[in-house]
Amino acid sequence: DAKGIYHIGSLESPSKYEFAKLVSEVFGFEIDLIKKTSVESLYAKDNIRRSKDCSFNTSKILNLLNIKSIPTLKEMVIDFKNQEIMGEW
């Protein structure tokens, strides 16, 4: 009987910059337009604090479902792109 909160995601923990570059690569956007900056500088003027690490611990769901491997983040982004092309999103 499963109860509680379960996170689903990649086992990888890229930075926001690395994730943006990956999405740009998969969707064919210009990677050179993405500029690396700090989270602090993005939200400094609004005095908003943001976490540098937005990754999830997926071990609970993987253990519950006895999953040994999941797709890489790149594979998931490619799948998302393919679903968009097919009009599934």
Side-chain angles (χ1 to χ4, degrees):
D1 197 353
K3 293 181 181 180
I5 296 172
Y6 290 83
H7 297 291
I8 308 262
S10 168
L11 296 178
E12 301 151 272
S13 299
S15 67
K16 291 172 178 68
Y17 173 70
E18 293 165 332
F19 182 71
K21 284 180 28 179
L22 173 63
V23 170
S24 293
E25 174 193 333
V26 170
F27 279 82
F29 301 144
E30 294 182 49
I31 294 176
D32 295 344
L33 296 176
I34 299 172
K35 305 298 180 203
K36 190 171 187 173
T37 187
S38 69
V39 172
E40 293 85 7
S41 67
L42 287 174
Y43 301 104
K45 67 179 175 117
D46 298 320
N47 201 25
I48 299 172
R49 296 176 64 173
R50 297 281 188 232
S51 174
K52 291 181 182 180
D53 183 0
C54 296
S55 60
F56 290 118
N57 180 342
T58 58
S59 61
K60 187 175 176 182
I61 190 74
L62 296 177
N63 289 331
L64 176 74
L65 299 177
N66 197 29
I67 296 173
K68 301 297 180 216
S69 69
I70 60 174
T72 65
L73 185 57
K74 184 171 186 174
E75 290 168 335
M76 290 183 205
V77 173
I78 290 169
D79 186 52
F80 177 77
K81 178 185 177 191
N82 292 337
Q83 288 178 34
E84 180 192 28
I85 290 168
M86 299 300 291
E88 298 173 19
W89 281 97

